[in-house]
Amino acid sequence: MKIALVFLFIAPFAISSKIDKDYSSFDSAPPEPNSRFAMLDDVRILANGLLQLGHGLKDFVHKTKGQMNDIFRKLNIFDKSFYELSLQTNEIKVEEEELRKTTSRLQANNEEIKNISLELNSKIEDLLQDKIQLQEKVVGLEEKIIKLAHIQPEVQEPKEMTSLKNFVQQQDNHIRKLLKVVQEQHAQLDKQHNQIKELEEKLSNTSFQENTESSSSLKLPEPKIIPLPSHNSTAPGLEFNGVATDCTALYKRGERTSGIYSIKPNGSEAFNVYCEMKSGKTIIQNRVDGSLDFNQTWESYTNGFGDLKGEFWLGLAKLYSIANQADYILRIELKDWKDNKRYIEYTFTLGSPETDYTLHLSEISGNIPNALPEQTELRFSVMDHDNATKRDCNCPERYSGGWWHRACGETNLNGKYIKPRSEGKLERRRGIYWKPQKGRFYLIKSTKLMIHPTDLESFE
């Protein structure tokens, strides 16, 4: 096309030149034959030039078409990428909306639980007032009965007095039940509060991150939950024959420096423990850097091993002597390989050596999903003393270390110290990990297990 245009542009000049030559023939004699051959050569040269120009224009057109194709291909790739980003953005918006709805529901539940708690507290106060008034009446009646007994010893206790005593006893039982309900409501309220905090943190991170794994480092407030203690023979936090029974007793004595102390639980020989004096807790396990091998025997786990100034296991026998004094709380503090800190607390009971130190747990608070079975007999098992299951597989031999197992594949905080990505997946299963029944697999960097009495107020 472009060659034709060039030819049309040049043709008039050639024709005009020929016309001029024709016109000049009237004025002059006919040209010589040599001049005609010269004009033919000029036409050939012009034709060759036009041909070369045509080839150059053709190459230019092909090159331009190739560049345009590249541009269109890049535009298609850009459109596809933009479409995928739009889809991801829509998914993020949907998740954000779901989180907002969930947060709203939890907040509504939180308000409802608060209202129920206030109503229960009001009812308990009324019942306590009624109880006080009834007790005053009973005391007055007892005084009258004593006076009548001196006058008429043979007179039996009036039926009214017996019915009043029964009524007071019923009120006491009712108050105890209400106190237990209030305690459960408080625990539920704290769980809801922690869930709302975590969802709010995740919601704030969603607007700045794509669909990646969330690892919040926000320190959630530690709920203050004090279970009702049962009446055991020895109160925690006291002294026995002049020696402290646990770290709580040392704290109440005025000790505020964390370190190694000697304690003597009731009915036990004195032994050393590491006390965390921020709030008077007794440390029973500490793992920091993998310097100590926790793949030990049953005897070692019973008596304890390691250095109290570094990594150590206090020992099942010592733990039993402390926990057997009163009601205690087990606190587990964990840190993952991103240095995120989490904790969880349980009320617990520990069985005697004859039961292989069977553990019973009941969760009361925390900011990480529970990974230990509740209200279940968890027998402590070691490679040379497997009590977890009656199956053919040996859980400690398969997963390393000693722990309270129910079945293979559960949480194990005494496993092999393994860094992430340093071993295969099967090998990591032998390491320190926290695996909730529903949730992600947490590979743990450091752990700390500690106990304190249920009636110890939080000093943190």
Side-chain angles (χ1 to χ4, degrees), residues 306-369:
D307 185 359
L308 292 177
K309 294 181 180 179
E311 295 195 333
F312 68 90
W313 172 262
L314 183 62
L316 293 168
K318 297 173 185 176
L319 174 58
Y320 174 73
S321 66
I322 300 173
N324 195 40
Q325 299 180 108
D327 296 310
Y328 278 79
I329 290 176
L330 172 65
R331 180 182 175 92
I332 300 176
E333 295 184 354
L334 307 173
K335 181 192 290 187
D336 63 15
W337 287 91
K338 296 180 181 178
D339 289 332
N340 295 317
K341 295 181 180 180
R342 296 287 184 268
Y343 82 96
I344 192 168
E345 289 187 343
Y346 304 90
T347 56
F348 76 98
T349 58
L350 189 67
S352 64
E354 289 75 18
T355 67
D356 297 318
Y357 300 102
T358 299
L359 182 67
H360 288 80
L361 295 171
S362 180
E363 181 187 359
I364 56 175
S365 65
N367 57 12
I368 192 173

Side-chain angles (χ1 to χ4, degrees), residues 97-155:
E97 185 63 27
E98 291 178 355
L99 286 173
R100 290 184 187 278
K101 292 179 180 179
T102 304
T103 303
S104 300
R105 289 196 299 269
L106 290 175
Q107 288 176 345
N109 293 337
N110 194 5
E111 292 296 328
E112 185 178 353
I113 293 173
K114 284 183 179 179
N115 294 332
I116 294 173
S117 179
L118 291 174
E119 291 178 3
L120 289 174
N121 288 333
S122 177
K123 290 180 180 179
I124 289 173
E125 290 178 359
D126 294 339
L127 288 172
L128 289 174
Q129 293 295 331
D130 294 340
K131 178 182 176 181
I132 293 172
Q133 293 177 1
L134 287 172
Q135 286 177 341
E136 292 176 353
K137 292 180 180 179
V138 170
V139 170
L141 288 173
E142 286 179 347
E143 291 178 353
K144 292 180 180 179
I145 290 172
I146 291 172
K147 292 178 181 179
L148 289 173
H150 289 295
I151 299 172
Q152 296 178 346
E154 69 280 0
V155 177

